[in-house]
């Protein structure tokens, strides 16, 4: 269970802070709820979710040693590229939905490598791939930055350097 003030990964909303824990009655059922807000949106969005909600991913932030391990994984190739866009995007989304940051980092790694390769050939990354990369990278890099006490921009630069050095 999380406490007020704790940070967590909440589904596709990314890193959220627990603002409150309270009892709510919805449709005649009384349960305990987390009141959350994504840390990146300046309180624009408030999320209310049951504490025992098993339909969404709620995860603790990774620790420093795991963050370093994930960061170093960018020195190696990611996931095998599938040339069929719909198959690839569905596979990548399935991986992201597991919440496994090591596997998510492999998705980001693969998309970054493909993006760099496309740019070298004066092309762009497929639009669905770019959208997924933007969304997932933002959450992953922010979490790594919090765990490693660096900015998300510093994490992005480190990742770029590792990928370029390993090509």
């Amino acid at each position: 269970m999380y406490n007020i003030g704790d940070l967590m990964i909440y589904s596709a909303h990314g890193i959220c802070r627990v603002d409150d824990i309270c009892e709510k009655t919805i449709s005649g059922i009384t349960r305990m709820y987390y009141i959350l807000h994504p840390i990146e949106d300046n309180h624009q969005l408030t999320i209310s979710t049951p504490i025992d909600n098993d339909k969404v991913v709620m995860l603790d932030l990774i620790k420093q040693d795991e963050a370093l391990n994930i960061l170093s994984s960018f020195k190696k190739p990611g996931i095998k590229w599938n040339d069929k866009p719909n198959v690839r995007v569905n596979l990548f989304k399935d991986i992201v939905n597991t919440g496994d940051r090591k596997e998510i980092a492999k998705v980001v790694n693969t998309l970054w490598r493909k993006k760099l390769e496309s740019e070298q050939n004066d092309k762009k990354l497929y639009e669905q791939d770019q959208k997924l990369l933007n969304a997932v990278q933002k959450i992953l890099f922010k979490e790594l930055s919090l765990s490693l006490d660096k900015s998300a921009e510093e994490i992005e630069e480190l990742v770029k350097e590792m990928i370029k050095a390993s090509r």
Side-chain angles (χ1 to χ4, degrees):
M1 184 163 157
Y2 297 96
N3 297 306
I4 295 172
D6 286 351
L7 295 176
M8 69 158 81
I9 299 291
Y10 179 78
S11 195
H13 292 286
I15 301 169
C16 293
R17 183 176 314 282
V18 179
D19 289 334
D20 196 10
I21 301 171
C22 60
E23 194 173 84
K24 288 187 176 192
T25 302
I26 299 176
S27 300
I29 300 171
T30 302
R31 296 163 70 176
M32 294 300 290
Y33 279 75
Y34 290 124
I35 309 301
L36 314 169
H37 77 271
I39 64 171
E40 296 290 317
D41 81 343
N42 297 320
H43 282 54
Q44 297 294 317
L45 175 66
T46 298
I47 302 164
S48 180
T49 186
I51 287 176
D52 59 354
N53 190 345
D54 59 359
K55 293 183 172 82
V56 295
V57 175
M58 288 189 271
L59 302 168
D60 294 342
L61 295 184
I62 55 176
K63 305 285 186 237
Q64 185 178 16
D65 58 335
E66 187 177 356
L68 289 169
N69 189 8
I70 288 169
L71 194 57
S72 72
S73 74
F74 284 93
K75 294 176 184 174
K76 302 174 192 154
I79 298 169
K80 187 175 185 236
W81 188 256
N82 186 314
D83 287 324
K84 296 179 182 171
N86 289 338
V87 172
R88 179 178 62 247
V89 167
N90 287 332
L91 169 69
F92 288 176
K93 283 183 178 180
D94 287 345
I95 291 169
V96 169
N97 289 336
T98 67
D100 182 332
R101 271 70 127 230
K102 289 178 185 173
E103 294 303 311
I104 291 169
K106 289 179 185 177
V107 169
V108 172
N109 187 350
T110 300
L111 290 170
W112 256 100
R113 289 172 186 275
K114 195 51 114 171
K115 179 180 177 176
L116 290 172
E117 180 183 309
S118 296
E119 288 171 354
Q120 285 177 341
N121 295 319
D122 291 324
K123 294 183 179 180
K124 289 185 174 185
L125 195 58
Y126 182 66
E127 187 178 351
Q128 282 185 294
D129 292 324
Q130 186 63 55
K131 283 182 181 177
L132 182 63
L133 175 60
N134 291 346
V136 176
Q137 171 188 307
K138 180 179 178 182
I139 295 169
L140 180 66
F141 287 6
K142 183 64 180 176
E143 184 177 14
L144 291 171
S145 75
L146 289 170
S147 297
L148 298 172
D149 197 27
K150 295 185 178 293
S151 71
E153 293 77 17
E154 288 174 297
I155 297 295
E156 183 174 335
E157 282 306 311
L158 286 169
V159 166
K160 279 183 192 177
E161 289 172 21
M162 284 187 250
I163 288 174
K164 285 180 180 178
S166 69
R167 294 178 84 204

